[in-house]
């Protein structure tokens, strides 16, 4: 790929800034000064930026604690989007799946299309874990209905879901584990048993767990271990 694109992708500066650095000789490829248009192979060539060797990452993986009131999309006319929180402005980055405007929690953002596909594919049955507050008492009958599959107005029933009551009360705190990702799925499942979700947070997706040290709106790169597990 072009050297200036590679450096801009790596957040070394804007495209015009990195062009300037290259022209000023701040960047070398295998020890030599080159032009911004130079095609480079980061797999075999040594690229130094201000004297320090840089290692190009083709794929990047960010864990965002999505806050409420932001849209899971690249662009939106009215609201902030999840991409507004990410400093990395690569055009190929996108969120893996969607969380509603008022849902918060774990959202993976990556340019690894294959991983994204595998996590979302209904045939892969990747578990998504949600914590929710429900208006009203959640009953044993609800737990059974979630396990058996619910008619939420789609062609097929929902796949078996594990519903656990964490705190009983007029407002119940629950955990739900689903292996699908239908539109408004958790809200529609509770609506099917006559209840309303008043708060929803995703805490895990497959092996990836929301880092509880992150605050809403904060994000970090996945660790090597998290990437390997995914
Ligand atoms: N289910 C919902 O209803 N909303 C979400 O954002 C995610 C799952």
């Amino acid at each position: 790929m072009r050297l200036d694109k590679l450096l801009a992708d790596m957040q070394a500066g804007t495209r015009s800034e990195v062009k300037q650095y290259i022209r000023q000789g701040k960047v070398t490829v295998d020890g030599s000064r080159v032009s911004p248009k130079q095609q480079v192979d980061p797999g075999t060539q040594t690229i130094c930026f201000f004297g320090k060797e840089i290692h190009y990452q083709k794929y990047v993986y960010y864990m965002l604690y999505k806050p409420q009131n932001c849209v899971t999309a690249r662009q939106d006319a009215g609201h902030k989007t999840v991409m507004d929180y990410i400093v990395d402005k690569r055009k190929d980055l996108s969120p893996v799946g969607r969380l509603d405007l008022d849902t918060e929690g774990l959202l993976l953002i990556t340019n690894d299309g294959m991983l994204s596909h595998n996590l979302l594919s209904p045939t892969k049955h990747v578990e998504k874990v949600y914590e929710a507050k429900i208006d009203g008492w959640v009953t044993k009958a609800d737990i059974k209905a979630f396990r058996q599959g619910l008619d939420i107005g789609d062609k097929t029933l929902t796949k078996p879901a594990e519903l656990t009551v964490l705190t009983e009360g007029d407002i119940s705190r629950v955990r739900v584990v689903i292996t699908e990702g239908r539109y408004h799925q958790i809200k529609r499942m509770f609506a099917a048993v006559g209840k309303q979700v008043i708060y929803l947070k995703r805490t895990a997706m497959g092996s990836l767990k929301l880092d509880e040290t992150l605050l809403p709106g904060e994000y970090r790169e996945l660790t090597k271990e998290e990437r390997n597990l995914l």
Side-chain angles (χ1 to χ4, degrees):
M1 67 192 298
R2 271 177 66 139
L3 180 60
D4 54 355
K5 177 170 186 327
L6 178 144
L7 290 169
D9 277 359
M10 293 198 66
Q11 309 300 303
T14 62
R15 197 81 175 243
S16 59
E17 281 166 351
V18 299
K19 274 184 185 152
Q20 229 175 340
Y21 297 144
I22 299 169
R23 288 200 192 97
Q24 289 165 351
K26 311 287 188 209
V27 184
T28 57
V29 177
D30 289 337
S32 304
R33 287 177 68 158
V34 287
S35 92
K37 284 190 197 157
Q38 175 80 35
Q39 293 286 328
V40 290
D41 177 359
T44 58
Q45 293 179 300
T46 305
I47 302 161
C48 291
F49 183 68
F50 286 83
K52 235 181 119 203
E53 187 174 346
I54 55 165
H55 297 279
Y56 178 67
Q57 261 182 283
K58 185 172 177 195
Y59 296 121
V60 286
Y61 306 87
Y62 298 114
M63 171 194 297
L64 170 70
Y65 185 159
K66 178 198 173 292
Q68 291 180 322
N69 296 318
C70 86
V71 178
T72 312
R74 285 198 58 90
Q75 277 182 338
D76 187 82
H79 291 94
K80 235 177 145 146
T81 78
V82 291
M83 301 311 290
D84 291 335
Y85 291 92
I86 309 292
V87 173
D88 186 342
K89 295 298 171 204
R90 287 182 211 212
K91 292 199 175 61
D92 57 356
L93 279 177
S94 35
V96 179
R98 296 173 77 90
L99 291 177
D100 296 338
L101 187 68
D102 58 353
T103 301
E104 62 176 33
L106 174 65
L107 190 70
L108 179 64
I109 293 174
T110 183
N111 56 349
D112 182 344
M114 184 59 86
L115 177 76
S116 186
H117 170 79
N118 283 334
L119 288 172
L120 296 176
S121 166
T123 61
K124 307 273 181 192
H125 312 292
V126 174
E127 287 190 346
K128 288 119 198 153
V129 184
Y130 291 87
E131 285 184 15
K133 285 186 190 152
I134 309 300
D135 190 6
W137 288 73
V138 172
T139 63
K140 289 211 170 67
D142 296 334
I143 295 172
K144 195 170 164 203
F146 271 57
R147 201 182 300 130
Q148 286 178 338
L150 288 160
D151 180 356
I152 60 170
D154 293 342
K155 279 191 200 128
T156 55
L157 298 185
T158 54
K159 295 232 171 70
E162 188 190 307
L163 169 59
T164 311
V165 178
L166 303 174
T167 319
E168 292 181 334
D170 290 338
I171 304 272
S172 308
R173 269 189 60 241
V174 300
R175 181 187 304 120
V176 188
V177 183
I178 56 175
T179 57
E180 305 168 283
R182 302 191 198 184
Y183 181 65
H184 292 332
Q185 180 158 349
I186 302 284
K187 291 174 188 161
R188 287 159 71 210
M189 287 173 87
F190 278 101
V193 293
K195 302 201 163 80
Q196 199 193 344
V197 174
I198 51 178
Y199 167 80
L200 188 59
K201 173 180 177 180
R202 182 158 66 194
T203 58
M205 190 172 189
S207 59
L208 190 63
K209 299 199 169 33
L210 178 65
D211 179 342
E212 292 293 345
T213 65
L214 292 175
L215 295 170
E218 289 184 340
Y219 74 100
R220 66 159 171 81
E221 278 198 64
L222 295 196
T223 62
K224 208 167 173 187
E225 201 183 19
E226 286 169 333
R227 286 201 310 264
N228 291 341
L229 276 171
L230 270 184

